[in-house]
């Protein structure tokens, strides 16, 4: 476990730098939106495209890996929906706990993947990023439209349109197409330029994660926080472990899939909760709590599942 902890610790130190930079006003509050926007529209898509487009997916486990990811997150979604029985009197709180159960911070595992799983694991995560983000966003938007405090009518067309405007989803899908047709061999210097941009993506992403952490909601609703934390950091990876074992996924892709499921909740969940009438303070607390506790749980799941 010491090896896994050592591998993941630098990622969390960069997150801590982002938190301290925000609190110390080293970067003005008004500038963080611009940093996030630049990363969201430029750096992160460049990283995902260059990683997916240049990876070798000729192995037999690629489709199997994607299948396990989708099934595992679908089961996590069903678990999240079952919590409605517990929180039937508070729709907004339920939507935040649902989001905490299924939404994952892909940037943490992308940054840690080379140390935890090697380049093969990094390529698999980048490959699964777009489809899983799209699937999880669809589930989240439908749940928010149904149970949050808003006047939105659940619509598959509207949800699909929202997902397909996500630049991270598009970059992953375009990267897959480029990989299949060998596009990187004919676009000349554009591919190295995108790869150069991509190398700046992970530090900016992790610093932005740290800047988004908020301790204000911690301790106010401990039971709800506990349910959300356990759902994300224990139930979700456990369900993925069951899926990979039942479907016979190979050891390394299995460990990667479980690693993806073990990631803390994504800060983007707070934005969706705030805009669509969820319990935004609870969501902020869940993002912070899962991120902090993940420093321990990520190494645990890695040691439990990583082949020797």
């Amino acid at each position: 476990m010491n090896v896994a902890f050592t591998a993941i610790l630098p990622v969390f130190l960069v997150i801590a730098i982002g938190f301290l930079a925000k609190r110390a006003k080293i970067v003005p509050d008004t500038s963080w939106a611009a940093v996030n926007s630049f990363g969201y529209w430029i750096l992160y898509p460049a990283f995902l495209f260059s990683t997916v487009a240049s990876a070798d997916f000729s192995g037999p486990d690629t489709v199997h890996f994607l299948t396990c990811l989708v099934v595992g997150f679908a089961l996590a979604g069903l678990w999240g929906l079952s919590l409605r029985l517990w929180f039937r009197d508070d729709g907004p709180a339920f939507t935040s706990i649902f989001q905490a159960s299924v939404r994952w911070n892909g940037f943490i595992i992308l940054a840690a993947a080379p140390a935890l799983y090697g380049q093969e694991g990094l390529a698999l995560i980048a490959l699964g990023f777009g489809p899983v983000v799209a699937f999880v966003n669809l589930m989240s938007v439908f749940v928010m439209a149904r149970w949050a405090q808003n006047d939105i009518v659940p619509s598959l067309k509207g949800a699909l349109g929202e997902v397909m405007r996500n630049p991270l989803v598009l970059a992953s899908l375009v990267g897959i197409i480029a990989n299949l047709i060998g596009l990187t061999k004919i676009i000349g210097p554009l591919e190295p330029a995108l790869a150069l941009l991509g190398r700046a993506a992970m530090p900016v992403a992790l610093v932005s994660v740290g800047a988004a952490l908020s301790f204000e909601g911690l301790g106010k609703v401990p039971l709800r926080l506990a349910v959300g934390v356990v759902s994300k950091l224990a139930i979700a990876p456990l369900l993925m472990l069951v899926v990979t074992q039942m479907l016979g996924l190979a050891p390394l892709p299995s460990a990667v899939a479980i690693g993806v499921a073990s990631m803390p909740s994504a800060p983007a969940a707070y934005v969706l909760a705030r805009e669509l009438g969820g319990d935004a303070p609870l969501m902020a607390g869940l993002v912070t709590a899962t991120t902090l506790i993940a420093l321990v749980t990520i190494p645990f799941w890695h040691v439990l599942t990583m082949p020797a």
Side-chain angles (χ1 to χ4, degrees), residues 139-230:
M139 290 194 292
S140 298
V141 168
F142 267 100
V143 167
M144 296 295 295
R146 173 64 180 83
W147 285 292
Q149 290 181 339
N150 56 59
D151 298 323
I152 300 173
V153 178
S155 164
L156 179 59
K157 181 180 178 180
L160 283 172
E162 186 69 26
V163 168
M164 292 311 298
R165 287 192 292 269
N166 187 318
L168 308 183
V169 173
L170 292 176
S172 296
L173 296 180
V174 173
I176 293 172
I177 295 171
N179 188 298
L180 292 174
I181 66 176
L183 183 62
T184 55
K185 298 177 182 178
I186 61 176
I187 61 176
L190 180 58
E191 197 279 331
L194 290 173
L196 186 61
L197 275 173
R199 285 199 286 273
M202 288 305 98
V204 172
L206 295 176
V207 168
S208 298
V209 169
L213 297 181
S214 172
F215 290 86
E216 294 179 4
L218 297 179
K220 294 182 179 179
V221 281
L223 179 59
R224 294 177 179 183
L225 282 172
V227 171
V229 168
V230 170

Side-chain angles (χ1 to χ4, degrees), residues 18-275:
F19 175 79
L20 294 174
K22 173 76 176 293
R23 296 308 178 272
K25 308 293 184 182
I26 295 173
V27 178
D29 289 346
T30 53
S31 298
W32 284 107
V35 173
N36 289 330
S37 182
F38 184 68
Y40 183 71
W41 289 103
I42 305 295
L43 296 182
Y44 312 154
F47 175 83
L48 289 170
F49 174 84
S50 61
T51 302
V52 173
S54 60
D56 180 9
F57 298 123
S58 59
D61 293 313
T62 301
V63 175
H64 204 178
F65 172 77
L66 290 175
T67 301
C68 287
L69 278 184
V70 172
V71 173
F73 274 94
L75 290 179
L78 289 175
W79 165 262
L81 286 174
S82 74
L83 296 175
R84 177 61 179 162
L85 298 174
W86 196 344
F87 298 100
R88 64 179 64 195
D89 296 327
D90 193 339
F94 161 70
T95 63
S96 292
I97 292 172
F98 177 87
Q99 283 205 87
S101 301
V102 298
R103 300 195 69 152
W104 58 295
N105 194 325
F107 298 119
I108 291 179
I109 194 168
L110 283 169
L116 291 175
Y117 308 109
Q119 289 302 313
E120 181 182 350
L122 174 62
L124 286 172
I125 295 164
L127 173 68
F129 198 101
V132 173
V133 166
F135 181 53
V136 167
N137 279 3
L138 279 174
M139 290 194 292
S140 298
V141 168
F142 267 100
V143 167
M144 296 295 295
R146 173 64 180 83
W147 285 292
Q149 290 181 339
N150 56 59
D151 298 323
I152 300 173
V153 178
S155 164
L156 179 59
K157 181 180 178 180
L160 283 172
E162 186 69 26
V163 168
M164 292 311 298
R165 287 192 292 269
N166 187 318
L168 308 183
V169 173
L170 292 176
S172 296
L173 296 180
V174 173
I176 293 172
I177 295 171
N179 188 298
L180 292 174
I181 66 176
L183 183 62
T184 55
K185 298 177 182 178
I186 61 176
I187 61 176
L190 180 58
E191 197 279 331
L194 290 173
L196 186 61
L197 275 173
R199 285 199 286 273
M202 288 305 98
V204 172
L206 295 176
V207 168
S208 298
V209 169
L213 297 181
S214 172
F215 290 86
E216 294 179 4
L218 297 179
K220 294 182 179 179
V221 281
L223 179 59
R224 294 177 179 183
L225 282 172
V227 171
V229 168
V230 170
S231 294
K232 185 69 204 74
L233 301 181
I235 301 298
L238 180 61
L239 290 171
M240 189 67 74
L241 173 61
V242 172
V243 169
T244 59
Q245 293 299 306
M246 291 185 66
L247 297 185
L249 188 61
L252 178 60
S254 177
V256 173
I258 296 163
V260 168
S262 73
M263 288 301 107
S265 303
Y270 169 77
V271 177
L272 194 64
R274 184 186 62 199
E275 292 182 354

